[in-house]
């Protein structure tokens, strides 16, 4: 039974649609690169659409490959673009979408428990306030660089 | 009261006016036609999922890139599966005219534009991965032929991605996307670019007029026929290979400087076909079967013994292949010689039994060899097509 549910979830993911009135996540992917090794970090991107009639807040998530998962934003800090945790989460008004993308908001995966390689598929749970959590079972690891040049320098911010 | 002169003037103005009307009317019509043509070309979508990989049993597109790769030393069977996972997702999205995941330039996804891409595996890949026992029957590296002047930079490769589309921008964007996802696993060995006709210029099909002036790709099995299936698709062998095909790639340089010194009649005798229509010298239509027995009053064969179509004609029923050649142009020398030729692709269920005998006959005696020089060569096995939720060559690499 569980298998069927998983299969259905991946079919829905492939079709890029979810029933109206719910929160939907499309085109999710996770970055693989030099940093996505054991003990390192990476980020999950995609589009979260709030199809409900009330505000929801994207507050975090869970995945087996990361010890720490946080919702991050890129912000101008002391004249430099840096990553930082979004306190209280990312608010998505009713009927609107939030795009998680390199150089912008993202779901930060830290303290990786193993190497994440190009073409790997991982399962990621997205947690919300105001809506049920959503688990995607096949988030593809894409080789990608660029878009967030300050990636390396922000390690200090992350220990906060 | 209207004077005759005034009436005439008015008439003239009237005529001029309606002429302008007609002109702007046809401009509008042209603009509408253009919009319609762009839309139809941009929207042309080829099916990705199915028994066979896309881009083979389909009318030839306008532009193409072949990119061959050599595996990185650390790439193993499980990395191959990850690579194929990425490419499968990319090709599925590109075939719908959508950007790939993590596309740094999604605005370039302007529509499917007849996009196709398939992945092929070289014999060297099977050997590097210790998978010799998986090499399908008949899938061989070609022996050296005496007309060959092969260059390393156009030959071989562990893996090929063959991309085609009806728009150069769509092609470039798609190629870049697929290469980007390949670099963790392999380095680029060579890339070769070619073209056929722009959609709408000739009747859609797999033939195109090559740069020697001949209609190339005649006498192919018909697309979507049982005959095509028996010539091209493997119907036995391991599960991952059934529905696949074996590809021969040849980069064939044309010696146009000397070819152009021949008159039309000589050119036609070398080929055995009429240049204008593509009909055999014994017929009137491109589709007419050549009559190799027909003789001239002086006793000579109408289709000469040295003619390309006589040498290339199958001597046994199984000696048939499906050709889908693109043209290439790679520059013009200081003295004005054009570097042009064919990115000649053929597909058959068994290279050894179907392609090799034909090629042997051409090697032995084909006058066309004087003006055509193979400078690149490779063979690839094209695994069967993926079903939704599966990955290209999944069973092979799992």
């Amino acid at each position: 039974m569980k298998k069927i549910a998983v299969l259905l979830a991946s079919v829905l993911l492939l079709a890029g649609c979810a029933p109206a009135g719910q929160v939907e996540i499309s085109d999710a992917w996770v970055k693989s690169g030099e940093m996505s090794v054991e003990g390192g970090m990476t980020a999950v991107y995609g589009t979260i659409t709030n199809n409900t009639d009330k505000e929801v807040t994207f507050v975090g998530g869970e995945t087996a490959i990361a010890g720490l998962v946080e919702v991050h934003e890129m912000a101008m800090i002391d004249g430099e673009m840096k990553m930082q945790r979004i306190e209280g989460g990312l608010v998505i008004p009713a009927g609107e979408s939030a795009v998680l993308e390199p150089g912008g908001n993202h779901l930060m995966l830290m303290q990786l428990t193993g190497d994440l390689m190009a073409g790997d598929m991982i399962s990621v749970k997205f947690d919300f306030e105001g809506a049920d959590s959503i688990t995607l079972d096949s988030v593809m690891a894409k080789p990608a660089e660029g878009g967030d040049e300050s990636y390396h320098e922000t390690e200090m911010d992350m220990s906060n | 009261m209207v004077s005759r002169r005034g009436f005439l003037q008015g008439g003239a103005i009237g005529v001029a006016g309606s002429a302008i009307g007609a002109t702007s009317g046809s401009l509008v019509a042209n603009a509408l036609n253009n919009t319609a043509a762009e839309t139809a070309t941009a929207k042309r979508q080829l099916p990705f999922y199915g028994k066979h990989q896309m881009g083979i049993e389909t009318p030839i597109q306008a532009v193409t890139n072949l990119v061959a790769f050599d595996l990185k030393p650390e790439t193993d069977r499980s990395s191959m599966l990850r690579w194929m996972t990425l490419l499968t997702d990319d090709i599925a999205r590109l075939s719908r005219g959508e950007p790939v995941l993590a596309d740094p330039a999604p605005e370039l996804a302007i529509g499917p534009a007849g996009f196709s891409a398939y992945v092929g595996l070289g014999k060297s890949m099977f050997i590097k991965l210790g998978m010799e026992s998986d090499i399908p029957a008949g899938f061989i590296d070609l022996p050296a032929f005496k007309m060959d002047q092969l260059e390393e930079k156009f030959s071989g490769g562990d893996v090929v991605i063959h991309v085609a589309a009806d728009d150069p921008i769509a092609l470039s964007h798609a190629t870049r996307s697929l290469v980007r996802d390949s670099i963790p696993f392999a380095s680029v060995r060579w890339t070769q670019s070619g073209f056929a006709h722009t959609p709408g210029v000739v009747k859609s099909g797999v033939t195109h007029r090559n740069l020697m002036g001949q209609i190339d790709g005649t006498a192919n099995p018909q697309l979507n026929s049982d005959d095509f299936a028996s010539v091209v698709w493997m119907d036995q062998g391991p599960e991952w290979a059934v529905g696949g095909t074996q590809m021969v790639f040849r980069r064939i340089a044309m010696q146009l400087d000397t070819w152009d010194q021949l008159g039309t009649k000589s050119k036609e005798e070398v080929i055995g076909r009429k240049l204008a229509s593509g009909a055999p010298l014994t017929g009137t239509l491109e589709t007419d079967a050549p009559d190799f027995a027909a003789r001239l009053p002086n006793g000579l064969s109408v289709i000469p013994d040295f003619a390309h179509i006589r040498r290339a004609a199958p001597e046994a029923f199984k000696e048939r292949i499906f050709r889908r050649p693109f043209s290439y142009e790679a520059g013009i020398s200081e003295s004005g010689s054009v570097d042009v030729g064919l990115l000649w692709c053929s597909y058959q269920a068994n290279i050894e039994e179907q392609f090799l005998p034909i090629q042997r006959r051409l090697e032995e005696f084909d006058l066309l060899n004087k003006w055509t020089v193979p400078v690149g060569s490779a063979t690839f096995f094209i695994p069967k097509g993926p079903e939704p939720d599966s990955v290209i060559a999944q069973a092979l690499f799992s």
Side-chain angles (χ1 to χ4, degrees):
Chain A
M1 193 61 211
K2 193 171 181 187
K3 227 174 201 168
I4 290 167
V6 167
L7 204 70
L8 190 64
S10 63
V11 166
L12 286 173
L13 174 69
L14 283 168
C17 60
Q22 296 183 9
V23 175
E24 171 197 350
I25 303 172
S26 60
D27 295 335
W29 59 281
V30 57
K31 182 157 143 181
S32 97
E34 280 176 21
M35 303 287 287
S36 67
V37 293
E38 186 170 357
M41 57 185 161
T42 187
V44 175
Y45 308 99
T47 301
I48 306 173
T49 303
N50 177 6
N51 291 317
T52 73
D53 53 9
K54 54 188 197 305
E55 179 180 290
V56 300
T57 306
F58 176 41
V59 292
E62 241 178 80
T63 173
I65 70 146
L68 185 60
V69 178
E70 290 177 351
V71 180
H72 277 208
E73 64 182 345
M74 299 295 290
M76 195 64 85
I77 301 163
D78 303 329
E80 265 186 78
M81 284 303 283
K82 289 193 174 178
M83 293 195 294
Q84 64 179 11
R85 185 161 176 253
I86 306 178
E87 293 300 331
L90 176 65
V91 175
I92 310 170
E96 291 192 18
S97 291
V99 178
L100 311 179
E101 59 185 348
N105 297 327
H106 54 272
L107 184 65
M108 192 77 199
L109 310 185
M110 291 162 284
Q111 300 168 13
L112 295 187
T113 56
D115 297 350
L116 180 68
M117 313 231 265
D120 276 339
M121 294 281 200
I122 63 167
S123 174
V124 179
K125 181 159 80 80
F126 296 73
D127 292 332
F128 300 94
E129 270 172 25
D132 291 338
S133 294
I134 296 174
T135 300
L136 302 182
D137 283 306
S138 41
V139 176
M140 192 181 295
K142 295 282 290 188
E145 304 296 340
D148 48 355
E149 259 58 54
S150 60
Y151 206 88
H152 301 250
E153 296 163 26
T154 50
E155 248 166 318
M156 287 190 319
D157 298 325
M158 241 123 25
S159 54
N160 290 343
Chain B
M1 187 174 162
V2 179
S3 77
R4 176 167 284 234
R5 188 186 168 99
F7 176 77
L8 282 174
Q9 273 175 352
I13 289 164
V15 169
S18 53
I20 289 163
T23 306
S24 59
S26 60
L27 282 177
V28 169
N30 272 341
L32 284 173
N33 280 340
N34 286 344
T35 311
E38 279 164 25
T39 307
T41 305
K43 280 184 178 168
R44 184 176 163 226
Q45 182 175 337
L46 305 176
F48 169 60
Y49 295 110
K51 278 160 71 179
H52 317 297
Q53 287 198 64
M54 68 189 315
I56 296 168
E57 195 170 0
T58 194
I60 198 160
Q61 296 103 320
V63 283
T64 195
N65 282 330
L66 289 120
V67 188
F69 297 87
D70 283 334
L71 300 188
K72 291 188 170 169
E74 65 272 22
T75 295
D76 59 13
R77 203 168 173 144
S78 69
S79 349
M80 286 303 298
L81 185 60
R82 287 190 283 109
W83 185 9
M84 295 303 125
T85 303
L86 286 163
L87 293 181
T88 302
D89 186 68
D90 291 341
I91 296 171
R93 288 169 191 269
L94 291 166
S95 73
R96 298 192 296 262
E98 297 167 9
V100 300
L101 288 179
D103 196 332
E107 54 282 351
L108 285 172
I110 49 178
F115 164 88
S116 71
Y118 63 78
V119 182
L121 311 171
K123 197 175 165 193
S124 54
M125 181 218 75
F126 289 91
I127 294 168
K128 281 184 186 176
L129 297 178
M131 298 169 66
E132 290 93 334
S133 60
D134 289 310
I135 296 173
F139 179 58
I140 52 165
D141 281 336
L142 297 182
F145 300 103
K146 65 184 181 197
M147 64 280 209
D148 286 357
Q149 294 180 30
L150 303 184
E151 293 182 49
E152 190 75 350
K153 65 181 177 188
F154 299 132
S155 302
D158 295 336
V159 173
V160 74
I161 303 176
H162 185 181
V163 195
D166 284 328
D167 176 72
I169 303 292
L171 177 79
S172 177
H173 170 249
T175 304
R176 181 179 156 207
S177 302
L178 296 168
V179 169
R180 189 172 52 243
D181 278 352
S182 299
I183 292 310
F185 311 96
S187 51
V188 174
R189 179 186 177 90
W190 52 252
T191 171
Q192 302 187 48
S193 299
F195 53 88
H197 294 287
T198 298
V201 169
V202 297
K203 206 176 128 200
S204 167
V206 292
T207 57
H208 87 284
R209 200 171 279 278
N210 72 31
L211 297 172
M212 286 177 121
Q214 308 140 12
I215 297 177
D216 211 318
T218 307
N220 263 325
Q222 262 196 322
L223 300 186
N224 306 311
S225 66
D226 290 344
D227 186 44
F228 186 99
S230 69
V231 169
V232 174
W233 307 121
M234 285 192 74
D235 61 0
Q236 48 199 333
E239 183 262 337
W240 66 271
V242 171
T245 185
Q246 305 186 7
M247 175 200 194
V248 172
F249 166 75
R250 307 276 284 171
R251 182 184 179 95
I252 301 174
M254 295 171 169
Q255 313 292 306
L256 287 195
D257 292 347
T258 49
W259 175 252
D260 287 345
Q261 289 168 6
L262 300 181
T264 301
K265 190 162 180 296
S266 302
K267 288 178 176 176
E268 290 180 338
E269 287 188 346
V270 168
I271 302 303
R273 287 186 181 277
K274 292 168 190 164
L275 284 171
S277 61
L281 295 180
T282 54
T284 49
L285 296 173
E286 188 195 338
T287 47
D288 287 345
D291 177 2
F292 292 117
R295 304 217 163 242
L296 295 165
N298 64 9
L300 292 175
S301 298
V302 179
I303 297 171
D305 292 344
F306 54 72
H308 179 68
I309 62 166
R310 181 186 290 277
R311 304 303 300 171
E315 288 186 354
F317 188 73
K318 72 174 180 191
E319 288 175 12
R320 293 184 314 139
I321 60 176
F322 171 63
R323 292 162 297 141
R324 199 169 180 273
F326 289 86
S327 289
Y328 75 81
E329 183 184 294
I332 306 176
S333 76
E334 208 176 342
S335 60
S337 293
V338 289
D339 180 5
V340 298
L342 290 175
L343 303 180
W344 191 93
C345 301
S346 80
Y347 307 87
Q348 45 274 304
N350 186 308
I351 290 175
E352 196 170 15
E353 292 179 359
Q354 293 170 251
F355 172 85
L356 199 57
I358 301 171
Q359 187 68 9
R360 287 283 188 218
R361 279 198 297 277
L362 296 180
E363 176 187 32
E364 198 176 81
F365 185 38
D366 173 15
L367 202 57
L368 188 59
N369 290 341
K370 231 173 135 172
W371 299 277
T372 56
V373 181
V375 293
S377 185
T379 57
F380 297 100
F381 189 87
I382 320 296
K384 71 170 186 174
E387 299 297 332
D389 282 331
S390 79
V391 164
I392 293 166
Q394 183 168 346
L396 178 65
F397 296 123
S398 288

